[in-house]
Amino acid sequence: MKKPLVGALFAVLLLGAGTAPATAATSHDAAAPGTVKAAASSSHAAVGAKARTKAVGFAGTVALSNCSGSVVRTPGSQPGDPALVLSNGHCMESGFPGPGKVVIDQPSTRTFTLLNNAGSGVGTLRASKIAYGTMTDTDISVYQLTSTYAQIESSYGIKALELNTAHPVQGAAITVASGYWKRTYRCNVDGFVYRLKEGEWTWKDSVRYTSACQTIGGTSGSPVIDDATGKVVAVNNTGNEDGQQCTDNNPCEVDENGQVTVREGINYAQETYGIVPCIGAGNAFDLNAAGCELPKP
């Protein structure tokens, strides 16, 4: 998982904030029996990739104490609804939820620094609860705030990012916008992973980036924004740092036949379109709603 502690702080000491991240170290280990050791994705844009249509800034993103995130809304969210902040399940202040663990309506007073388009902090937002959080099948946390969308827009002139309702598209131009580092990473959707395994956790239908998105610790929870629509299609969460197989910070890809592939230096995100059917009136989570397939407690 792309946490800032140790790895990211070490990168700052070496490089200075805002400079290019260090390239993942090259591993000389042989692939384990039954696995494929893949080179880092060779293309920076998949064949047929959509043209990049607009520059994506930081408006609506937030910085957490240990991760990144964004203020998000569904197409049905109303101005008077309590606003939501999206990040990773592994970014929750309560620690990594174990396999099968789902957090619902857990009280929280966590604060978030709201950024404007240029990446400057313009205000502090506060949570009332973790509305939903898990690392099972996906890696997400959704905080409910004490402020409404209308209050945030009135106070800071910033609108929430909208969650796309459709599955991401291979080849699409995307931007990973990190509020923690105030840095963007631009690349394309390289493809999708049937199962992504990292340590104890397994995630379904993950997004794999092309190699240009060399995200680092602290970028966890960053919104992955489709450049053509400006909507959130995924949330950044991990990458294979040194070529190990299925260990912490070294996720591996597993296909429908159980074939394991390791892609050193490649990073991943979790799709977010599946969150939308689970959020109803007043931005309340309803895990029994039609079309909602998020894990239940």
Side-chain angles (χ1 to χ4, degrees):
M1 279 71 78
K2 293 292 184 183
K3 300 282 280 192
L5 303 179
V6 183
L9 296 179
F10 182 64
V12 171
L13 292 174
L14 289 178
L15 302 169
T19 60
T23 303
T26 301
S27 172
H28 298 285
D29 296 336
T35 71
V36 175
K37 192 129 188 178
S41 178
S42 60
S43 65
H44 286 257
V47 174
K50 293 182 178 179
R52 199 174 296 280
T53 59
K54 63 180 72 174
V56 174
F58 296 96
T61 66
V62 299
L64 285 66
S65 58
N66 62 341
C67 286
S68 300
S70 58
V71 181
V72 296
R73 61 183 297 275
T74 72
S77 296
Q78 300 300 308
D81 289 342
L84 303 175
V85 163
L86 171 68
S87 189
N88 285 148
H90 77 259
C91 292
M92 292 191 295
E93 65 270 34
S94 52
F96 291 14
K101 174 71 173 179
V102 175
V103 174
I104 291 285
D105 294 334
Q106 178 175 295
S108 174
T109 57
R110 194 168 195 180
T111 58
F112 313 89
T113 301
L114 179 66
L115 305 185
N116 63 16
N117 197 58
S120 299
V122 295
T124 300
L125 306 176
R126 184 176 296 276
S128 61
K129 65 181 179 180
I130 302 173
Y132 184 87
T134 192
M135 287 179 67
T136 298
D137 295 350
T138 186
D139 184 8
I140 61 170
S141 60
V142 181
Y143 288 82
Q144 181 173 296
L145 302 184
T146 58
S147 304
T148 66
Y149 296 115
Q151 289 170 334
I152 293 171
E153 187 171 355
S154 175
S155 297
Y156 308 112
I158 294 175
K159 296 182 178 181
L161 299 174
E162 185 174 328
L163 295 174
N164 200 2
T165 59
H167 190 283
V169 177
Q170 185 173 14
I174 53 174
T175 298
V176 182
S178 170
Y180 185 90
W181 290 115
K182 301 176 177 62
R183 176 171 183 172
T184 59
Y185 301 81
R186 296 180 177 178
C187 59
N188 295 82
V189 175
D190 188 53
F192 305 98
V193 182
Y194 177 70
R195 296 290 184 267
L196 190 67
K197 294 181 63 67
E198 179 174 343
E200 298 180 272
W201 297 276
T202 299
W203 303 307
K204 298 179 178 179
D205 195 22
S206 302
V207 174
R208 179 176 63 241
Y209 306 144
T210 52
S211 59
C213 279
Q214 288 293 305
T215 51
I216 60 173
T219 62
S220 283
S222 300
V224 180
I225 301 168
D226 185 293
D227 291 354
T229 65
K231 296 180 180 181
V232 177
V233 296
V235 57
N236 181 67
N237 81 309
T238 195
N240 189 290
E241 295 184 358
D242 55 18
Q244 293 181 26
Q245 180 187 320
C246 312
T247 63
D248 289 348
N249 302 313
N250 290 281
C252 63
E253 301 182 11
V254 183
D255 69 15
E256 294 90 335
N257 299 314
Q259 179 73 43
V260 176
T261 301
V262 174
R263 300 181 189 269
E264 183 178 355
I266 292 299
N267 297 291
Y268 303 89
Q270 301 307 307
E271 298 163 358
T272 52
Y273 75 99
I275 299 173
V276 176
C278 306
I279 298 177
N283 270 353
F285 270 78
D286 180 2
L287 300 183
N288 295 313
C292 178
E293 297 183 358
L294 289 177
K296 298 177 176 62

